C-alpha cells in the first residue's frame, strides 16, 4: 500500500510520513483499500504536504473526493489540514490525545495514526482485527455488542516493542489470511493458540446481530441545460448528506417528495430512475430534464462545458447525469 513503510525500511530508519498515514486512514474510513488507492495517489500528487492541502481551494478538494462517499470526511480533511498548518506549524501531534483534538479524527483514527506513524503502543481495532480477535479467543458474542470485549482482548496483545508494525501486521492478517469466508489457518502464524481453529468455529465468527432492512426514499433531480451547453448545478449546504458537494437542484428525499423545480421549464421525466444506496437507506431518484434557452436562475449556477467535470459529482448525482446524457445527445441550438 502506497502509504506504508515496511518493517525492513523501518528497521533501517525510514519513518512513515504522518500526512500520508493520516490521509490514508481518513480515506479508508468506511471504504476499501482498492477504492482508496487511486484517490490517494491523486491527492498526494496534487497536494504533496499537509501545507499544500491546507492552502487548497475547497471546491478542488471536494471535486477530487467526488465518488469516494461519506463527504463529511472531505470537509473535515480540509479543516484538519488547516488546523495542523495554522496551529501546529504543519506538524501532526505525535500522540493519540493530541490527534483526538483535530477535526475528523475519532478514537480509531487517532490510535491508528499514533501507532502507525509514531510507533505508539495504541490498540488499533478495525473490522479485520475484530474478526481475528473473535476467532483467536473463540468469542461468540455478536457484533456490535462484542466490540468492548474484542477491544480489551486486542489491547492485552498490543506489545510495547514495534507496536506500529504489530498493528499493521494484525490488520494484514485479517485482510489476507484470516479472511471472512475461508481463513487460511494452515499458514496462519497464530494457528496454534487459535481457539476457533481448535474448536472448528472459525467460519461462524465473528457473529453479527441481524441487520435491519434499509428503507427506500424517493427524490427528484432537475437537470437543466442552457443553449450554450451549460448545466445548472448547485453546491449543497455544508451540513447534511453530500454536504459541500456539487449536485443537481432537487426535492427533499422522502417517502413522497414534493416537486421542487429550480425554474419554470418544459420538464420531462426520464423513463429510468437513478438508484443509489446510502448507509441508512436506498434512494430512487426521478430525473427530470429540460432545455432552458438562455435562462438565469435565482439559485445555483450554470457551469459551461469547459468547467463542468462530471467526475466532480458525487456518485448518485453522476448516475443521474449518466441517465440524462442520452437525452441531451443532440447538440444544443
Ligand atoms: S488460525 Fe485461522 S481462524 Fe485462527 S486466527 Fe489464524 S486464520 Fe484466523
Amino acid at each position: 500500500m502506497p502509504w506504508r513503510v515496511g518493517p525492513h525500511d523501518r528497521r533501517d530508519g525510514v519513518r512513515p510520513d504522518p500526512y500520508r498515514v493520516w490521509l490514508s486512514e481518513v480515506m479508508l474510513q468506511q471504504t476499501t483499500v482498492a477504492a482508496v488507492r487511486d484517490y490517494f495517489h491523486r491527492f498526494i500528487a496534487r497536494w504533496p504536504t499537509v501545507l499544500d492541502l491546507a492552502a487548497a481551494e475547497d471546491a478542488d478538494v471536494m471535486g477530487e473526493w467526488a465518488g469516494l462517499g461519506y463527504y463529511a470526511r472531505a470537509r473535515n480533511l480540509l479543516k484538519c489540514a488547516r488546523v495542523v498548518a495554522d496551529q501546529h506549524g504543519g506538524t501532526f501531534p505525535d500522540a493519540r490525545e493530541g490527534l483526538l483534538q483535530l477535526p475528523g479524527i475519532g478514537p480509531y483514527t487517532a490510535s491508528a495514526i499514533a501507532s502507525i506513524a509514531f510507533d505508539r503502543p495504541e490498540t488499533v481495532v478495525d473490522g479485520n482485527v475484530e474478526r481475528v480477535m473473535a476467532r483467536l479467543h473463540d468469542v461468540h458474542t455478536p457484533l456490535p455488542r462484542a466490540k468492548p470485549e474484542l477491544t480489551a482482548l486486542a489491547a492485552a496483545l498490543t506489545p510495547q516493542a514495534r507496536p506500529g508494525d504489530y498493528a499493521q501486521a494484525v490488520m494484514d492478517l485479517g485482510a489476507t489470511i484470516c479472511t471472512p469466508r475461508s481463513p487460511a489457518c494452515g499458514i496462519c502464524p497464530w494457528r496454534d493458540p487459535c481457539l476457533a481453529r481448535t474448536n472448528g468455529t472459525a467460519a461462524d465468527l465473528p457473529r453479527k446481530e441481524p441487520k435491519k432492512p434499509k428503507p427506500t426514499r424517493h427524490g427528484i433531480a432537475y437537470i437543466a441545460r442552457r443553449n450554450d451547453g451549460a448545466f445548472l448545478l448547485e453546491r449543497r449546504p455544508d451540513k447534511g448528506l453530500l454536504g459541500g458537494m456539487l449536485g443537481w437542484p432537487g426535492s427533499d428525499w422522502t417517502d413522497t417528495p414534493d416537486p421542487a423545480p429550480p425554474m419554470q421549464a418544459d420538464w420531462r421525466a426520464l423513463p429510468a430512475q437513478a438508484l443509489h444506496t446510502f448507509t441508512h437507506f436506498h434512494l430512487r431518484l426521478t430525473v427530470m430534464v429540460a432545455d432552458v434557452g438562455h435562462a438565469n436562475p435565482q439559485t445555483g449556477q450554470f457551469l459551461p462545458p469547459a468547467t463542468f467535470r462530471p467526475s466532480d459529482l458525487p456518485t448518485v448525482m453522476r448516475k443521474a447525469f449518466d441517465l440524462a446524457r442520452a437525452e441531451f445527445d443532440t447538440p444544443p441550438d
Side-chain angles (χ1 to χ4, degrees), residues 132 135-136 173 177-179 183-185 188-191 194 196-197 202:
V132 172
R135 289 172 172 172
L136 192 60
L173 179 71
I177 293 177
C178 194
T179 52
C185 301
C188 177
W190 273 343
R191 62 186 174 276
C194 179
R197 189 186 71 85

Side-chain angles (χ1 to χ4, degrees), residues 110-126:
S111 295
I113 299 171
S115 168
I116 297 168
F118 300 111
D119 221 14
R120 302 270 184 187
E122 300 293 351
T123 304
V124 186
V125 184
D126 66 357

Side-chain angles (χ1 to χ4, degrees), residues 118-248:
F118 300 111
D119 221 14
R120 302 270 184 187
E122 300 293 351
T123 304
V124 186
V125 184
D126 66 357
N128 286 317
V129 177
E130 282 176 348
R131 183 169 57 257
V132 172
M133 290 301 133
R135 289 172 172 172
L136 192 60
H137 298 278
D138 205 18
V139 173
H140 288 239
T141 315
L143 284 165
R145 207 155 25 99
K147 275 179 184 290
E149 185 180 355
L150 298 176
T151 301
L153 291 168
L157 286 174
T158 302
Q160 295 295 312
R162 296 172 58 198
D165 283 344
Y166 170 80
Q168 293 174 89
V170 183
M171 287 192 273
D172 286 357
L173 179 71
T176 60
I177 293 177
C178 194
T179 52
R181 276 189 200 91
S182 45
C185 301
I187 57 167
C188 177
W190 273 343
R191 62 186 174 276
D192 287 339
C194 179
L195 292 179
R197 189 186 71 85
T198 308
N199 298 336
T201 54
D204 302 328
L205 298 176
R207 294 194 191 280
K208 293 187 179 164
E209 308 269 15
K211 280 191 182 156
K212 285 190 196 142
K214 291 182 187 188
T216 297
R217 294 190 199 164
H218 301 263
I220 308 168
Y222 295 88
I223 303 184
R225 187 186 64 165
R226 217 164 51 179
N227 276 357
D228 59 1
F231 284 103
L232 178 63
L233 287 136
E234 63 177 16
R235 196 159 289 284
R236 297 173 64 87
D238 271 353
K239 291 245 182 305
L241 216 51
L242 311 184
M245 299 299 294
L246 268 187
W248 308 110

